Amino acid sequence: MQQSATTERRHVESVRHEEHAGFWRTYVFSIDHKVIGLQYMMSALVFLFFGFSLMMLMRWQLAYPGKSIPGEVFVLLPAVISAATLVIALISKRKLIGLVGLTFAGLAALVWYLVSDEVLFPDGVMVPELYNSFGAMHGTIMVFLGVVPLAVGGFGNYVVPLQVGAPDMAFPRLNMMSYWAYFIGGVVMLASFFVPGGAANSGWTSYPPLADIATTGQTVWLLGMVFLITSSLLGSINFIVTIVQLRANGLTYMRLPFFVWAQFITAFLLLLAFPPLEAAAVLQLMDRLAGTSFFLPSGLVISGQALEVSGGGSPLLWQHLFWFLAHPEVYVLVLPAMGIIAEVIANNTRKPLWGYKSMVYAVIFLGFMSFIVWAHHMFMTGMGTVISTFFQTTTMIISIPSVIILTALMISLWGGSIRFTVPMLFALAFLPMFGIGGLTGLPLGLAPTDIHLHDTYYVIGHFHYVVAPGSIFALFAGLYYWYPKVTGRLMNDTLGRIHFWGSFFAMNGIFFPMLIQGLAGVSRRLWDGGAEYAHAQDTLYLNEVMSISAWVLAVFQLPFIFNFFWSIRKGKKVESDNPWDATTLEWQTPTPPPHGNFAMVPQVYRGPYEYSDPKSPKDYVPQNVA
Amino acid sequence: MQIPYTVAARPDTGLHNSKLGIWLFLASEVMLFGALFSSYILLRVAAPEWPHGSAILNVPLATLNTVVLIASSVTMVMSWASLMLKDFTKYRRYMGLTIVCGLVFLVVKVFEYGAKFSAGTFPGEDLFFATYFTLTGLHGLHVVGGIIVNTYFWGPGSRMWNTEPRRFTNRVEVAGLYWHFVDLVWIFLFPTLYLL
Amino acid sequence: MDHITTEDVKKHVRGYVIVFVALMALTIVTVAISYLHLDVTAAIIVALFIATVKGSLVASYFMHLISEKRLVYLTLILTVVFFAALIGGPLLGLHDTIQ
């Protein structure tokens, strides 16, 4: 009796607490999964833009090596975005949009600071050390601060609890800590640009011995990674517990939306693959700070001077530990994207997904296999035939589940009455783009062909097809698709279409020529884009094509950014809580969902995609309808 | 708003949220120490020679530490059992003992490290000492974390016993699982570094 | 741990004491063996065997793994498989290199 009285009092208190939660508790230190999801989303979008900006500067050097960079033009872009968002903030009276505007102003200032620095840009030409730094930080920022936080931290956080019918994540405070660990990690990474010697410059892979003896930026990079790893560890535990423990009544595993399945497997990958990288980061920190030689072999000579360390370490050890994470990480980038695509395709074809069960089994198998393919990144390290054969076999096997998922999604289109909405356009483009990314990966997974292609632009082209017009298109699809649930308004359709078609052509303009250059043998990570190499001469003209495409891509993001902020207050209002006529639970909530999500605890009666059921009056039956 | 299954177990899994959460966390810890053990094995197998730990490390002190840590695991599980038997006074006593054991472990560790440092031996000495300091250091950090958590549940955190005894018992159980894991890691570290 | 009676807990407590004694005994045994200076392979096998026994005792009784739920077992089995890959992969790579 006393027990229930306390529970009741706690309940009343928690309600009162929500009503009086001030600005800080509501927007900054919130424990509501939706606010945390949006925090992740906004931070990740800014980081994506910043990572892209680094690349735009690098592309100038690649297209016009040794020519002075027009710094003002590159500052113009973030400056325009900043001005536009500030104006929108004034018109729609939203302080938070103003904050984003100020962030972009900060970015513009950072770009200006870098470009006008006489040491980094003597006579306006980027020095090779800075090029290396930008390359390393572009990779790090895009993967660890951009795509994964957006896909998992952003969409996962916002959508998963809604789709499983939960009031919040299982551990709301842990969720908040996860975001702030990510935020600190991001700040540390940005701060590394200002330490002596600049940011990390040993590539996003940080291979020793180079990384062991690199400038201070590498130490800061490792510290930043420790924060980011902590963040995703907390997040992944939270996701798994939420999906297993907080599923609504009747929501069996085979009734989960595919997006939830994708996030579930992703969480396991983060949980079990990241710790080895954390261990590797600790060992590298020891090498750099305590003078150990875990990754330093004996007899190293640098610039004619013998290195004063005990030696005996193994640079390959780092590669093993790094790729033990980084291969599963590829699937962390891709699986949530596939999940979003599955939701959008089912909704816009008005058909159940074809082969839902085989997709689920495929994604489980894929997650498992992703742990035993890592050494296919190391064919060139002198591995013997036995181990090469083992890893190229597992690599060929892991392509099967990806093909199953992609094929099932394509067959799902067959015979559907497709609505070509903006999210659907991005989803449709994802299929062939990810297809190119996947197929170009096969020659890299086979040791004999990899010997030619290793470390060329072909590799860059391959994985960018997977993550840029692949994952990032899926993320755009998700942004357009769930926007009305978050804001209660739709994004402008015409601007969305301009954004899509521009991005689609520009993306291919950037990445397809890379495959050609790579086949011609042009190495990656060259400061001059290959200008000094005889074998690169025939494909050198492509550098300009790629660079111009990259800048065009940037221009076509402007309608998106404008649309995104403008529509928060001025977009067309949705007429119902379920504007896309969707079946899954997140659409059966008020718009936007309040703290605690559901007005009543939902009961689930059916699978996730019951569209075009001839027996029902409408063409769809939501999961919670008996 | 109430999150379901924070106290009671979900019928189909038989677990409450934090129990599943801590096991997942421990799984990731297995991978963290697994990677370090893997590094140790790889470096040792590749090394032309590897010193015998007992010749250069203080085995009696490490044995003492093993005994202390195992004892702390027993007192930890006893503190949980006391809560199950609704004996809060006993809980405080056993939890206090657990914290004391943890501190003793750290103090012994400090003496061990101090002896090495004053003899001029640092992690950069060779690969053996690099692994020794890294592995025991990281384990020591885990002990520190455990002591902080346990102290919280011994002190201010134990007030929950008066309002939600079941939830508090769960919390102590979860903290215990972590503490036993730290003990378990040491059980493998001890022979690997000191005896082989 | 929802349906544990007072009797059960008392039985557990007796178990903990026995396990504690066993752990102490094994610690003494493993230290004693190390003074015999067996050759490296034998020493590694014996020491790791004893450590595994001790570890299993801690996991089974103190961490109650002997009577856990299916989901926990599944998670741990998965972890053990990947743990094995993490140990085995780099070792295989070391032994199979192009000379």
Side-chain angles (χ1 to χ4, degrees), chain A residues 178-403:
Chain A
S178 160
Y179 172 76
W180 287 103
Y182 158 75
F183 186 83
I184 294 170
V187 171
V188 169
M189 287 291 186
L190 285 181
S192 73
F193 280 94
F194 299 97
V195 298
N201 48 22
S202 314
W204 81 285
T205 51
S206 287
Y207 276 7
L210 188 63
D212 265 18
I213 54 166
T215 49
T216 321
Q218 181 65 23
T219 306
V220 184
W221 186 90
L222 289 165
L223 289 173
M225 282 310 290
V226 170
F227 279 104
L228 296 177
I229 293 170
T230 309
S231 157
S232 64
L233 183 68
L234 297 177
S236 59
I237 293 174
N238 222 337
F239 276 114
I240 298 173
V241 177
T242 305
I243 295 170
V244 171
Q245 294 280 98
L246 304 192
R247 272 173 298 125
N249 241 342
L251 189 58
T252 58
Y253 282 105
M254 278 302 162
R255 285 178 178 173
L256 286 177
F258 189 69
F259 178 74
V260 176
W261 263 110
Q263 292 282 354
F264 190 49
I265 302 300
T266 304
F268 270 103
L269 301 186
L270 289 173
L271 181 77
L272 298 178
F274 248 133
L277 183 68
E278 186 153 28
V282 169
L283 297 184
Q284 202 176 87
L285 273 175
M286 288 295 284
D287 273 6
R288 295 181 54 86
L289 300 177
T292 60
S293 350
F294 287 110
F295 303 126
L296 294 171
S298 306
L300 265 188
V301 177
I302 295 158
S303 322
Q305 290 229 301
L307 199 63
E308 297 265 334
V309 290
S310 66
S314 160
L316 280 188
L317 174 62
W318 169 269
Q319 295 196 20
H320 278 297
L321 296 178
F322 180 82
W323 288 113
F324 191 88
L325 155 83
H327 200 82
E329 180 78 9
V330 173
Y331 293 96
V332 171
L333 296 165
V334 167
L335 292 183
M338 285 174 164
I340 295 172
I341 297 302
E343 300 299 302
V344 172
I345 284 188
N347 178 258
N348 285 291
T349 52
R350 317 302 299 161
K351 275 178 62 196
L353 279 184
W354 189 89
Y356 166 80
K357 273 195 179 169
S358 25
M359 286 173 71
V360 169
Y361 293 132
V363 81
I364 296 171
F365 183 63
L366 188 141
F368 180 82
M369 289 300 289
S370 73
F371 280 91
I372 43 174
V373 294
W374 79 88
H376 67 214
H377 295 271
M378 300 165 61
F379 285 139
M380 298 290 278
T381 59
M383 289 193 318
T385 46
V386 175
I387 187 168
S388 294
T389 311
F390 174 78
F391 278 105
Q392 73 183 10
T393 310
T394 52
T395 306
M396 290 306 113
I397 292 174
I398 203 176
S399 61
I400 297 169
S402 323
V403 170

Side-chain angles (χ1 to χ4, degrees), chain A residues 2-3 6-7 9-11 14-15 18 167-172 233 236-237 240-241 244-248 251 253 268 271-273 275-276 278-280 282-283 286 290-294 309-314 316-317 320-321 324 371 595-597, chain B residues 1-6 8-10 12-33 35-36 38-40 42-43 46-47 122-127 129-134 138 160 162-167:
Chain A
Q2 193 205 349
Q3 186 72 20
T6 1
T7 331
R9 201 186 67 226
R10 284 175 59 85
H11 182 70
S14 74
V15 169
E18 277 153 34
D168 205 307
M169 293 286 264
F171 308 112
L233 183 68
S236 59
I237 293 174
I240 298 173
V241 177
V244 171
Q245 294 280 98
L246 304 192
R247 272 173 298 125
L251 189 58
Y253 282 105
F268 270 103
L271 181 77
L272 298 178
E278 186 153 28
V282 169
L283 297 184
M286 288 295 284
T292 60
S293 350
F294 287 110
V309 290
S310 66
S314 160
L316 280 188
L317 174 62
H320 278 297
L321 296 178
F324 191 88
F371 280 91
H595 192 43
N597 297 341
Chain B
M1 182 194 68
Q2 289 282 4
I3 309 278
Y5 310 120
T6 43
R10 182 180 162 110
D12 59 351
T13 59
L15 299 165
H16 56 85
N17 296 346
S18 44
K19 183 89 166 271
L20 180 58
I22 194 73
W23 275 111
L24 291 167
F25 176 68
L26 293 184
S28 86
E29 291 278 86
V30 168
M31 295 308 280
L32 176 71
F33 283 101
L36 292 169
S38 177
S39 311
Y40 164 82
L42 192 80
L43 293 172
F122 292 96
E125 177 78 13
D126 57 18
L127 274 182
F129 278 105
T131 16
Y132 164 75
F133 279 111
T134 311
L138 206 62
M160 191 189 248
N162 301 321
T163 50
E164 292 172 279
R166 258 186 83 192
R167 193 164 176 204

Side-chain angles (χ1 to χ4, degrees), chain A residues 421-466:
Chain A
T421 58
V422 176
M424 187 60 173
L425 289 177
F426 278 103
L428 288 173
F430 170 90
L431 299 177
M433 294 296 106
F434 179 79
I436 294 177
L439 291 174
T440 51
L442 292 178
L444 294 171
L446 294 165
T449 33
D450 183 57
I451 289 171
H452 175 66
L453 296 171
H454 192 88
D455 253 350
T456 65
Y457 261 98
Y458 182 87
V459 180
I460 314 276
H462 151 68
F463 70 69
H464 277 89
Y465 260 107
V466 175

Side-chain angles (χ1 to χ4, degrees), chain C:
Chain C
M1 292 297 140
D2 278 329
H3 311 291
I4 295 179
T5 62
T6 316
E7 266 318 296
D8 289 338
V9 176
K10 283 185 180 154
K11 229 182 278 170
H12 277 173
V13 169
R14 277 193 293 278
Y16 300 147
V17 176
I18 296 170
V19 171
F20 176 60
V21 173
L23 288 172
M24 286 300 145
L26 286 169
T27 307
I28 294 165
V29 169
T30 192
V31 174
I33 287 177
S34 80
Y35 283 104
L36 295 179
H37 294 289
L38 302 172
D39 73 43
V40 178
T41 324
I44 290 178
I45 292 172
V46 172
L48 286 186
F49 176 73
I50 295 177
T52 311
V53 172
K54 287 166 75 181
S56 325
L57 284 175
V58 171
S60 311
Y61 293 98
F62 292 170
M63 300 170 88
H64 305 116
L65 258 192
I66 204 147
S67 55
E68 244 326 326
K69 299 294 177 297
R70 204 167 132 253
L71 199 61
V72 174
Y73 290 140
L74 286 177
T75 312
L76 291 180
I77 289 169
L78 196 67
T79 313
V80 168
V81 171
F82 294 148
F83 177 83
L86 185 58
I87 304 278
L91 260 187
L92 189 65
L94 188 70
H95 283 291
D96 185 31
T97 43
I98 296 167
Q99 299 302 324

